[in-house]
Amino acid sequence: MDMEVMLGRKTLREVLKSSVNEEESSGDQREDAGRWHFYLRMEEDTDFRVRFSSLCFITDHVGFHGTIKSSPSDFVVTEIDEQGQLVNKATNEWISKVLPEPNNFAKKTKLDFQNLSFKEGSNQEVNIVTGCSYDDQNLTDIKTDESASEKEVMEKNDGTSKGKEEKVDVLGNLLDEKTNELLNHFACDIKEKWNSKTELIGSSPEFSLGRILDKNQRAILHSAVRQKFPFLITVGKNSEIVVKPNLEYKELCHLVSEEEAFDFFKYLDARKENSKFTFKPDTNKDHRKAVHHFVNKKFGNLVETKSFPELSYNAGNPNVAITVRFREKTHKHRKRSLFECRDQKVIYTAFTLRKENLEMFEALGFLAIKLGVIPSDFSYAGLKDKKAITYQAMVVRKVTPERLKNIEKEIEKKRMNVFNIRSVDDSLRLGQLKGNHFDITIRNLRNQINDSSNLRERILEAIENVKNKGFVNYYGPQRFGMGRKVHTDQIGLALLKSEMVEAVKLFLTPEDLDDPVNRAKKYFLQTEDAKGTLSLMPEFKVRERALLESLHRFGMTEEGCIQAWFSFPHSMRIFYVHAYSSKIWNEAVSYRFATYGSRVVEGDLVSLDEDVDDEHFTNSKVHLVTEEEESANTYAIHQVVLPVLGYNIQYPKNKIGQWYQEILSRDGLQTCRFKVPTLKLNVPGCYRQILKHPRNVSYQLMEEHETDVKTEGSHVDEATLSLLLSFDLDASCYATVCLREIMKHDF
């Protein structure tokens, strides 16, 4: 990204007066603001909305030109953990000493609810996890996305790296050859009778796997049988495992397709919070009534059903689909099996993720697929740049260190690596870091236009100035998706106003590019055909595909769009709302400096905690400056904070507080409580210091030689300067904003 933009030298006040209706400041305030060297750029987006971003410079050096992010290796970001250590440093905590054992497999994600009792008053245990082929030849050839992780783990546990047949034949590793063969014959007999419409005469047939004394081994066998044969159930009788036909599965197959029956039992087994299952649209009211009756009779203690009309252009004959969802808090009332009680402690695995030129949410989507979990099972302390090499701490739920270690080779193809893998007790939360360390290379250095001073002196002057005086602590442009038609803050505003359909359309707005992703988005906005758009959307666009799959299931209605947003993890949903709050904060700090300059005035908010390195300090640590404190110059400008919007913040008691109220009114949020109950979003807000300083700054100038061919047989070397710059920033500070202050131009 070449930094060729020169800034105008109008005062910030002149521009803001045209966009914000403000009272005249006193002559002293105007004079004080003028002493600060405020420069600005009015940036017009492709949607013709005029925006202001990163308006102020607070230092008075000239700056210089240069190119950043010529390649990802020119911008290396490394998290600093709460202990002050770089997360890319090797640790000795990797628990490779823990050998893979069968009981590790028993703790995988899909086994959290394997002994779920569906039949009231019965000890029969139903767990339909994966499908299988029903002909004898392929009974062992099972491979679905949902079950891949368990099968691969079993292969590792067995110490083998053999072909596909052995990888997926879990029962072959658990049962002796004869028992396994008899089990296959029993399963085939059941299916043949069902397929031939032959009724099972007499009592329900059974097949015993024998007595298994080890309870962990029993748990694995229960799961493995039900994974391989979804039309069977397993019953525990003391230490014996007995296999029987799943009569409820057969009964449901009389009402819906076998594919739907399989998916329905898989949904029941997964028990994902807030998830829903929808049967295929059905115009027959009596048939829908029969399905309602079946589900409520058999599983009414777990789920409830409702019918919703599906989008259809044939208004005279609308399709209606039955949607099933779990009853709230049912898991607290049902009887838990011994195995569930033993295994209710969730596994957490911490690791360091290295990624290169990859968006973080795309990286998480890919990891989730490979590990057989969902993106919301990952937690992290902060978001990281795309066009960079980044190192960050991560924690994933329900995945063992061994399982994560096993996918190392696969994820290297996506320019990702994982290391420092270890077991931990809990997940991470946003902001749970001390800061970030940056190693940045700025290439092709040169003077500003019409500046004839020594370039090396200009660079030294700029770095020292920002070290001593700091920079305005703006949220960086990458938080808003700058350069795109739709910015993340626009989506956040739509969510805050509960405009769910509009938010979906904004998310799927295409850029003016002719590539598969944008062609798919254009098609959707023209047709609202989610299914057709899915066929056009590339596989690597994980977020877009998740949203479209949900829209295909629930429809492009207000309720359907709410469900579509739930296809995103909570951290991603709230990211858009935070983006809106961040945009308003950027505008507020610019207005604050234009109005009062460097003085701390009555009604300002200041932080009483001198050692603030993030935004998470409470109202009790924020003080409202009095008239007497202003007169006595009690506080310095670096102590001033401004609120980031939320329901639990106070506003300054001066013109800045009035400005906040005007902006909320402008955006239609006068009555907003910064809670979106339908999406389970609560935004308490926080406070952010208006100035920050880089720490541990070091730099080195290098000459890079380029050869220009002048005439045939002769050449001359031209040397250009590059700057290697390293520094640390507190959590939630942006290196691009610090660089902007140093170099004196926008990105």
Side-chain angles (χ1 to χ4, degrees), residues 14 41 59 219 329 333 360 394 433 645 729:
E14 292 175 51
R41 174 167 65 93
T59 51
K329 301 181 180 178
H333 303 295
M360 199 182 90
M394 287 267 177
L433 72 164
L645 293 173
L729 292 178

Side-chain angles (χ1 to χ4, degrees), residues 665-715:
S665 178
R666 176 198 75 184
D667 290 344
L669 298 176
Q670 304 96 313
T671 59
C672 179
R673 299 288 299 164
F674 289 92
K675 297 183 179 183
V676 188
T678 53
L679 295 186
K680 296 192 174 181
L681 299 180
N682 295 306
V683 187
C686 58
Y687 300 92
R688 184 175 175 90
Q689 289 177 295
I690 65 176
L691 291 182
K692 280 289 187 178
H693 290 75
R695 302 188 309 274
N696 302 323
V697 180
S698 64
Y699 69 95
Q700 179 184 353
L701 284 166
M702 295 194 314
E703 287 189 357
E704 294 183 305
H705 291 271
E706 296 178 356
T707 301
D708 287 348
V709 177
K710 298 298 183 183
T711 59
E712 188 175 342
S714 66
H715 67 269

Side-chain angles (χ1 to χ4, degrees), residues 44-63:
E44 190 167 318
D45 290 332
T46 52
D47 63 357
F48 304 106
R49 293 190 317 122
V50 175
R51 293 167 59 99
F52 301 96
S53 69
S54 301
L55 299 175
C56 300
F57 291 124
I58 64 169
T59 51
D60 57 5
H61 61 268
V62 175

Side-chain angles (χ1 to χ4, degrees), residues 80 206 433 487 518 536 608:
I80 305 170
E206 297 181 356
L433 72 164
H487 296 154
N518 286 293
L536 299 174
L608 299 178

Side-chain angles (χ1 to χ4, degrees), residues 472-491:
V472 182
N473 191 23
Y474 289 113
Y475 290 98
Q478 61 267 46
R479 193 173 183 94
F480 312 108
M482 300 302 288
R484 297 181 182 177
K485 271 191 174 181
V486 174
H487 296 154
T488 53
D489 61 90
Q490 293 171 264
I491 300 173

Side-chain angles (χ1 to χ4, degrees), residues 354-533:
R354 179 196 184 274
K355 63 180 182 66
E356 178 177 340
N357 200 28
L358 192 63
E359 189 186 43
M360 199 182 90
F361 291 125
E362 184 181 337
L364 292 185
F366 186 78
L367 286 172
I369 291 171
K370 291 299 176 184
L371 292 168
V373 295
I374 55 178
S376 58
D377 285 323
F378 291 87
S379 57
Y380 41 84
L383 304 177
K384 296 292 174 282
D385 301 67
K386 176 185 177 181
K387 193 171 182 182
I389 294 175
T390 66
Y391 297 85
Q392 65 189 117
M394 287 267 177
V395 172
V396 58
R397 294 191 309 150
K398 301 179 287 188
V399 173
T400 62
E402 294 81 15
R403 174 73 185 119
L404 184 59
K405 184 79 174 171
N406 289 341
I407 68 165
E408 282 183 311
K409 294 295 182 185
E410 296 178 70
I411 66 175
E412 285 178 3
K413 303 169 189 174
K414 291 287 286 186
R415 304 178 303 280
M416 286 190 287
N417 303 96
V418 292
F419 55 97
N420 288 345
I421 303 170
R422 62 205 184 276
S423 291
V424 291
D425 294 329
D426 206 350
S427 57
L428 282 170
R429 67 177 189 277
L430 285 171
Q432 195 175 342
L433 72 164
K434 194 172 183 64
N436 292 284
H437 173 78
F438 298 89
D439 293 299
I440 299 169
T441 302
I442 308 171
R443 302 189 185 277
N444 194 25
L445 299 172
R446 54 208 181 278
N447 286 94
Q448 301 276 22
I449 297 173
N450 299 324
D451 179 20
S452 58
S453 300
N454 181 281
L455 178 58
R456 292 174 183 266
E457 291 178 0
R458 285 295 192 213
I459 293 169
L460 176 61
E461 171 194 45
I463 294 172
E464 290 299 319
N465 220 3
V466 174
K467 276 175 60 177
N468 296 326
K469 296 181 181 178
F471 58 93
V472 182
N473 191 23
Y474 289 113
Y475 290 98
Q478 61 267 46
R479 193 173 183 94
F480 312 108
M482 300 302 288
R484 297 181 182 177
K485 271 191 174 181
V486 174
H487 296 154
T488 53
D489 61 90
Q490 293 171 264
I491 300 173
L493 177 57
L495 294 177
L496 281 171
K497 295 167 79 171
S498 293
E499 296 172 350
M500 300 303 169
V501 176
E502 175 66 13
V504 166
K505 289 181 177 179
L506 287 170
F507 180 81
L508 292 173
T509 297
E511 305 297 325
D512 292 327
L513 298 171
D514 188 25
D515 58 47
V517 174
N518 286 293
R519 284 197 293 271
K521 289 182 177 181
K522 287 174 187 174
Y523 174 80
F524 178 80
L525 289 190
Q526 291 167 356
T527 65
E528 294 189 0
D529 174 13
K531 184 177 182 181
T533 308

Side-chain angles (χ1 to χ4, degrees), residues 301-324:
N301 60 323
L302 291 172
V303 298
E304 57 185 355
T305 62
K306 288 187 178 181
S307 291
F308 294 99
E310 189 169 269
L311 284 180
S312 172
Y313 295 108
N314 184 1
N317 187 23
N319 285 333
V320 177
I322 296 174
T323 294
V324 184

Side-chain angles (χ1 to χ4, degrees), residues 252 255-256 260 263-264 267 275-296 299 303-311 318-326 552-554:
L252 184 57
L255 295 172
V256 299
E260 286 178 280
D263 287 340
F264 174 72
Y267 161 77
S275 63
K276 294 183 179 180
F277 175 84
T278 302
F279 288 96
K280 292 179 181 178
D282 185 1
T283 58
N284 187 318
K285 184 176 180 180
D286 290 335
H287 184 260
R288 293 198 307 271
K289 186 176 180 180
V291 175
H292 277 293
H293 180 73
F294 170 84
V295 174
N296 286 303
F299 313 113
V303 298
E304 57 185 355
T305 62
K306 288 187 178 181
S307 291
F308 294 99
E310 189 169 269
L311 284 180
N319 285 333
V320 177
I322 296 174
T323 294
V324 184
R325 67 181 181 186
F326 286 106
H552 172 52
R553 169 171 284 191
F554 297 105

